[in-house]
Amino acid sequence: MIQQQHIDRFIALLGPKGVVTDPDDISPWTSDWRGRYHGAAMAILSPASTQEVADTVKLAAELGIALVPQGGNTSMVGGATPPADGSALILSLRRMNHIRSLSPDDNLALCEAGVILSVLHDAAEAAGRRFPLSLGAKGSATVGGLVSTNAGGTQVLRHGTMRALVEGIEAVLPDGSIFDGLDALKKDNRGYDIKQLLIGAEGTLGVVTAASLRLVPAIAARGVGWVGVETPADALRLLRLTEERLGDSVEGFEVIADDTLGFVLGHIPGTRSPIETRTPWHVLIEVDHADLSDPSPAERLEGALAEAFERGIAVDAAIAANEAQAEAFWRIRESLSESERAQGPALQYDISVPVAKMPAFMIEAAEATEATFPGTTASSFGHLGDGNVHFHVRAPRGTSDGPAWIAAQGQAINAFVHDAVVAAGGSISAEHGIGQMKRTELGRLAGPARIGALRAIKTAFDPKGLFNPGKLIPLPGEG
Ligand SMILES: Cc1cc2nc3c(=O)[nH]c(=O)nc-3n(C[C@H](O)[C@H](O)[C@H](O)COP(=O)(O)OP(=O)(O)OC[C@H]3O[C@@H](n4cnc5c(N)ncnc54)[C@H](O)[C@@H]3O)c2cc1C
């Protein structure tokens, strides 16, 4: 067990500012964002430099104390929540919040791990650039957390996930050594790619202390459209048509089921459907240009949509006439989670399948789920072009006790949905990672080669198992 004398050693190392011990200050950081997981920790260690992180990790290794790296604590899978038995300390990167450099010439921002995403957005914009990844938690999520979960948002179609946006990494490995991989080389063939191993590692292989991130030109003009279609298959045809006509300027392509749109219109004041016709499916498209040349992105989008009408792909469409309307279209997309929460309890799956299989999956998996679990309703929304949707199963109408419904049905529904995903050749985690929430299911479904490799890499980096225990890696007996 961790004792006061251990905490005193950390205070001697980091000073009182670097160690939080007041239970009131600790408690907001021991539960996850959704309030599903509750842990305990005697202290939060908060080093202010890479060297302090290295010294902290060395001392923890000497004392045999487990560490849970934490940034903004916005993990959707309980990834940054410490174990409930108090056997670990939180290692917070939030004091390491400097943008060390931002170079428009290199198109690079060198950020410490604790830099908050929206702060990076603002700094890039001030330099005439942008960091092309955004998500709902941008006001809290940190660079270290984004790297460690390989986050992706609505711009993955054009710019990729963090794996594509991280040019270099600095990290402290479990033995306390500093891995300096910030050189951002275009070509580097020195064997295994340590940077890519650390991206998406969920804090199980070490602590990311800084990352060099790719910037792109700022948006000069955008066209934002809302299109009603009959089926997800038509939505995919629309995506391919717009790509053919507009090239890689298609930055966002989000598909939304009509029932889900209905929740927004019903629960979020001031929202209204951008189109008159209630079609079974809706598509939100954004086309971006870095220059102001003619034709504008809105005009080019209009041309592509005219062709979509001719081909019978689109049923109705609207193009935002100005920025306020464009924002109103996006507000609908960004309000989906909030409106669904207002609608009632739901189980949420962040899944991917091969893009070509997604339209059929969206229909068939929903029908099969509803048939197997009578009273539930299922539908999906999200990034069709990435083969990634949020597939949600809602409790039967009138269910007032959400936790009781989840306790009774959750495990069976989880297994049913995940089995369908695996049968379609997909992944049970497209965005949020495994954390503690999906660890057992990963063990059940991943296959011996993947699990063997995960465990071998973990043991090679962290033989004492002191980094983020209980997350990501299936436990013995779990696969
Ligand atoms: C409202 C909302 C919307 C979201 N939308 C999206 C979305 O569209 N797409 C998407 O991909 N994700 C989304 N997420 C989840 C997203 O992955 C996380 O919010 C974010 O990437 C985590 O950043 P964080 O700083 O909060 O990390 P934390 O939650 O603190 O940690 C996340 C994981 O990373 C580890 N970690 C954190 N910092 C470090 C570090 N410096 N070194 C090593 N390990 C570290 C932790 O141990 C944990 O395993 C959303 C979350 C919320 C709450």
Side-chain angles (χ1 to χ4, degrees):
M1 271 320 274
I2 302 172
Q3 289 159 17
Q4 186 55 46
Q5 68 204 49
H6 298 140
I7 304 299
D8 292 342
R9 296 273 308 270
F10 286 109
I11 293 173
L13 185 69
L14 298 173
K17 260 176 106 177
V19 185
V20 179
T21 52
D22 182 335
D24 289 344
D25 294 335
I26 295 173
S27 85
W29 305 99
T30 52
S31 294
D32 72 311
W33 176 278
R34 284 174 162 162
R36 286 195 194 163
Y37 298 97
H38 304 284
M42 232 175 126
I44 298 178
L45 309 176
S46 223
S49 68
T50 302
Q51 190 55 53
E52 282 193 4
V53 174
D55 294 342
T56 303
V57 168
K58 273 189 199 143
L59 179 56
E62 180 198 321
L63 300 174
I65 291 176
L67 297 172
V68 178
Q70 192 182 76
N73 195 27
T74 66
S75 168
M76 291 288 215
V77 290
T81 308
D85 62 5
S87 59
L89 298 178
I90 293 172
L91 177 54
S92 168
L93 278 295
R94 287 185 292 278
R95 281 178 77 211
M96 288 191 64
N97 59 4
H98 295 109
I99 298 179
R100 290 185 191 162
S101 65
L102 195 153
S103 161
D105 288 344
D106 286 326
N107 271 332
L108 288 177
L110 175 45
C111 297
E112 290 185 345
V115 171
I116 290 174
L117 180 57
S118 60
V119 172
L120 170 59
H121 285 161
D122 293 346
E125 197 184 320
R129 295 290 183 272
R130 69 188 166 111
F131 179 59
L133 185 145
S134 191
L135 39 80
K138 66 184 175 194
S140 304
T142 62
V143 165
L146 296 162
V147 169
S148 302
T149 56
N150 182 30
T154 51
Q155 295 141 305
V156 169
L157 185 65
R158 186 176 183 193
H159 299 288
T161 64
M162 286 299 282
R163 285 199 192 282
L165 296 170
V166 176
E167 299 283 353
I169 274 190
E170 176 191 89
V172 173
L173 303 183
D175 63 359
S177 60
I178 297 173
F179 170 72
D180 181 2
L182 283 174
D183 31 22
L185 300 171
K186 276 259 178 252
K187 300 180 90 172
D188 177 12
N189 274 347
R190 286 175 284 178
Y192 306 132
D193 191 334
I194 311 295
K195 172 186 81 179
Q196 288 295 349
L197 273 177
L198 290 164
I199 298 173
E202 300 187 24
T204 62
L205 300 183
V207 198
V208 175
T209 49
S212 186
L213 301 171
R214 187 160 67 81
L215 305 178
V216 298
I219 296 170
R222 66 172 177 166
V224 177
W226 190 281
V227 187
V229 295
E230 290 290 345
T231 62
D234 281 342
L236 185 55
R237 289 169 66 208
L238 180 64
L239 171 63
R240 297 307 179 218
L241 172 67
T242 51
E243 283 174 340
E244 281 163 26
R245 297 295 169 260
L246 309 175
D248 75 353
S249 61
V250 182
E251 172 122 349
F253 193 95
E254 297 290 303
V255 176
I256 301 161
D258 189 58
D259 63 357
T260 315
L261 170 64
F263 303 152
V264 176
L265 305 182
H267 294 290
I268 308 294
T271 52
R272 63 186 194 88
S273 175
I275 56 173
E276 302 265 311
T277 323
R278 283 308 283 270
T279 48
W281 294 87
H282 301 260
V283 178
L284 173 61
I285 310 179
E286 175 163 327
V287 180
D288 290 337
H289 286 183
D291 60 48
L292 291 170
S293 59
D294 286 336
S296 70
E299 287 164 331
R300 295 192 65 206
L301 178 59
E302 200 175 339
L305 292 184
E307 199 174 332
F309 279 112
E310 274 165 32
R311 291 205 210 166
I313 297 172
V315 176
D316 197 356
I319 293 182
N322 49 44
E323 265 303 301
Q325 264 186 18
E327 287 297 322
F329 288 11
W330 272 107
R331 182 164 173 243
I332 294 174
R333 168 65 183 87
E334 282 154 10
S335 305
L336 294 178
S337 300
E338 184 187 340
S339 65
E340 194 176 62
R341 263 197 307 278
Q343 185 71 15
L347 287 159
Q348 294 145 348
Y349 302 93
D350 133 55
I351 53 103
S352 64
V353 303
V355 176
K357 289 187 179 174
M358 187 51 97
F361 179 89
M362 289 167 83
I363 301 286
E364 290 163 12
E367 286 175 356
T369 307
E370 290 172 2
T372 308
F373 302 96
T376 61
T377 52
S379 58
S380 41
F381 65 86
H383 329 297
L384 178 67
D386 307 331
N388 163 214
V389 293
H390 301 281
F391 182 84
H392 290 187
V393 180
R394 292 176 289 273
R397 191 178 278 272
T399 303
S400 54
D401 190 343
W405 173 68
I406 290 173
Q409 296 260 280
Q411 210 176 343
I413 297 177
N414 288 349
F416 187 84
V417 173
H418 289 158
D419 286 350
V421 168
V422 170
S427 163
I428 64 169
S429 178
E431 282 190 334
H432 299 156
I434 298 298
Q436 51 185 309
M437 188 164 108
K438 296 185 182 172
R439 191 197 64 222
T440 313
E441 281 292 85
L442 182 73
R444 185 173 75 83
L445 295 165
R450 182 181 290 273
I451 293 183
L454 282 176
R455 285 188 177 137
I457 293 167
K458 169 74 176 168
T459 307
F461 272 73
D462 182 20
K464 293 181 183 165
L466 293 179
F467 268 78
N468 215 2
K471 317 291 166 37
L472 174 60
I473 313 293
L475 302 177
E478 288 183 342

